[in-house]
Amino acid sequence: MKKAWSVILAATMMAAAVAAPVSAEEGSAEVLTAGENLSADGLGGYKIGFFYYSTADAQSLQFHNVLDYCAELTNCEMEYYDMTAWDTEAISTAVETLVSNGCDGIIMILGSSPSLYEYMEENGVYYVLQTRSYTDEVALVVDGSEYNCGIVGDLGGTDGANYKGGYDSTLVLADEGCENIAIIANSEGETMSDEMVEGAEAAAADTGMNIAAEYRGSDIGTGASDILASYGTEIDGIVYCGSGDYVLAAIQSAGLSGQIALVQGECSDAAEYFEAGLLTATTAGASVYMVDLYMQVFNGLCGADRLFCEEDPRLVPLFSSFLVTSAEEYEAASIYTDGEVPGGILPDEILSFCSLTGGDMTIEEREALVETYQSTDYWNISDITARVGSYLGE
């Protein structure tokens, strides 16, 4: 659950520009000059529940910050439940506790038991799902339901964020001149990892890089160490389809620091790893997808237009994470996506997710606008720095 490589999502344009959404090709300059203060006055008053790790976990703290930010903008209250386990019983307890504490809506980070959704509907609780919680059995309950506010996550296939994340990360190794690489990821059968590895393998094939070794399993540190022991002098690049310091530690222990280009998901102390030449690229901005989860359930609660809910399954697209390739870019991402503007999405942009606060558009126009903001022409570290920096008066 903590491997958040591909989970980044949508922001929207300010109201002054909503009548004519910009295309990805037009770029983000028009976004930066548009602006009109929007308001959720008269709306809100809902309690929205979310269950995840405690805020002692860095990623969970980022998630909380974004959700609190959205709740304040929309006059709502967040109710949190800290998880210590992720089995079916633990998730059921979390949902039941949030409902008993008076939540009007719940953000379902996980939960593929149909009874959970039946329980929420019996209690009049709205919900938003993650795609990996959506199964054929769950579909029988949630499809067509008033309480289903959308299914947010990777839409799969070669256009999905997971595949593209693996592909784009591996291209970085090609740009570094790597010829023989290794791919490291979690166990086969985990959708996120499977799709990322598929993208990485495709990028290697397209660029002529040889995949000398591949590890799939739950013990990333041992898998990385075994690869380095067998192929350490033969490989010049590694793409790690996950987060954490496991591969970095293995490279250091093998005495190969600075000899192997490494691209991976978020890790602690990334700025120091960049400075030391241990890290070539990493992802940033993962907390932003909480904005989409929150606004989908808020739209359902306040009776606004439902985005991406015209058909079942009600799949809501999301932002892909962006890559940073230096300590300076990583530090900028920390400031502008985890600082005073959690998630990197401005207040007016968040409010424009909602038809009751975000200007006069049809559902189709608003959905097109959300997808426009998912373009890398807008969602990249340069434009985030300029946009959020300008908002903060820098």
Side-chain angles (χ1 to χ4, degrees):
M1 280 68 71
K2 297 175 72 176
K3 300 180 290 294
W5 184 288
S6 65
V7 291
I8 313 275
L9 12 134
T12 56
M13 201 175 190
M14 299 181 188
V18 296
V22 297
S23 68
E25 290 75 15
E26 290 175 295
S28 61
E30 295 184 43
V31 175
L32 299 176
T33 59
E36 175 182 323
N37 291 326
L38 308 181
S39 173
D41 289 350
L43 297 176
Y46 309 109
K47 182 183 285 189
I48 298 174
F50 178 69
F51 56 94
Y52 201 61
Y53 296 101
S54 75
T55 53
D57 175 85
Q59 180 172 292
S60 186
L61 177 60
Q62 293 172 358
F63 288 170
H64 281 229
N65 289 340
V66 175
L67 292 170
D68 288 341
Y69 179 65
C70 292
E72 183 177 359
L73 282 173
T74 55
N75 308 311
C76 292
E77 175 188 355
M78 290 301 305
E79 176 80 12
Y80 296 109
Y81 181 94
D82 294 344
M83 301 294 287
T84 57
W86 289 93
D87 54 43
T88 300
E89 182 178 354
I91 294 172
S92 295
T93 299
V95 171
E96 291 168 4
T97 302
L98 291 171
V99 171
S100 66
N101 287 346
C103 288
D104 303 293
I106 295 179
I107 295 171
M108 296 291 293
I109 197 75
L110 278 177
S112 55
S113 171
S115 62
L116 284 176
Y117 301 97
E118 292 173 343
Y119 174 76
M120 286 186 285
E121 296 198 5
E122 289 168 0
N123 285 275
V125 175
Y126 288 75
Y127 52 80
V128 60
L129 295 74
Q130 290 271 9
T131 49
R132 59 184 180 271
S133 299
Y134 184 76
T135 65
D136 291 341
E137 292 77 17
V138 168
L140 295 175
V141 177
V142 305
D143 283 4
S145 171
E146 161 68 18
Y147 297 97
N148 176 7
C149 299
I151 307 164
V152 179
D154 193 296
L155 302 185
T158 57
D159 291 328
N162 291 330
Y163 180 95
K164 292 171 70 175
Y167 191 97
D168 292 346
S169 297
T170 307
L171 289 183
V172 173
L173 297 183
D175 291 342
E176 289 290 310
C178 295
E179 297 179 354
N180 296 293
I181 68 170
I183 297 174
I184 297 174
N186 283 279
S187 302
E188 292 183 17
E190 192 209 60
T191 300
M192 180 185 295
S193 294
D194 289 347
E195 292 177 350
M196 290 189 66
V197 169
E198 184 182 357
E201 291 172 341
D206 289 348
T207 56
M209 289 187 295
N210 173 53
I211 301 175
E214 188 170 308
Y215 171 81
R216 301 295 304 274
S218 58
D219 191 344
I220 298 298
T222 299
S225 295
D226 289 346
I227 284 178
L228 293 171
S230 299
Y231 300 94
T233 59
E234 299 176 31
I235 60 174
D236 49 16
I238 295 175
V239 55
Y240 168 35
C241 302
S243 59
D245 303 339
Y246 312 105
V247 179
L248 283 156
I251 291 173
Q252 289 177 301
S253 296
L256 295 170
S257 299
Q259 299 179 44
I260 296 176
L262 172 64
V263 181
Q264 67 159 72
E266 292 190 49
C267 59
S268 60
D269 302 320
E272 295 180 17
Y273 290 131
F274 275 121
E275 294 286 2
L278 290 167
L279 187 61
T280 305
T282 187
T283 53
S287 60
V288 68
Y289 78 95
M290 288 293 123
V291 174
D292 209 21
L293 288 164
Y294 181 93
M295 290 306 292
Q296 285 292 129
V297 78
F298 178 76
N299 283 348
L301 287 167
C302 70
D305 292 340
R306 304 287 188 90
L307 299 184
F308 305 101
C309 286
E310 182 71 20
E311 301 177 356
D312 285 315
R314 304 176 183 187
L315 293 173
V316 180
L318 63 127
F319 269 35
S320 299
S321 59
F322 55 86
L323 288 166
V324 292
T325 58
S326 68
E328 292 75 19
E329 288 186 346
Y330 180 81
E331 289 170 347
S334 299
I335 293 169
Y336 297 117
T337 67
D338 293 325
E340 293 183 50
V341 182
I345 308 300
L346 302 182
D348 282 353
E349 295 168 342
I350 291 175
L351 291 175
S352 61
F353 272 79
C354 178
S355 60
L356 300 181
T357 65
D360 184 19
M361 285 188 290
T362 65
I363 296 174
E364 292 77 14
E365 289 171 335
R366 197 177 302 279
E367 289 174 347
L369 191 58
V370 169
E371 291 177 328
T372 293
Y373 275 76
Q374 295 169 336
S375 166
T376 55
D377 288 335
Y378 176 76
W379 190 244
N380 61 74
I381 188 58
S382 297
D383 284 338
I384 291 169
T385 298
R387 181 170 48 85
V388 178
S390 176
Y391 173 79
L392 296 175
E394 299 178 358

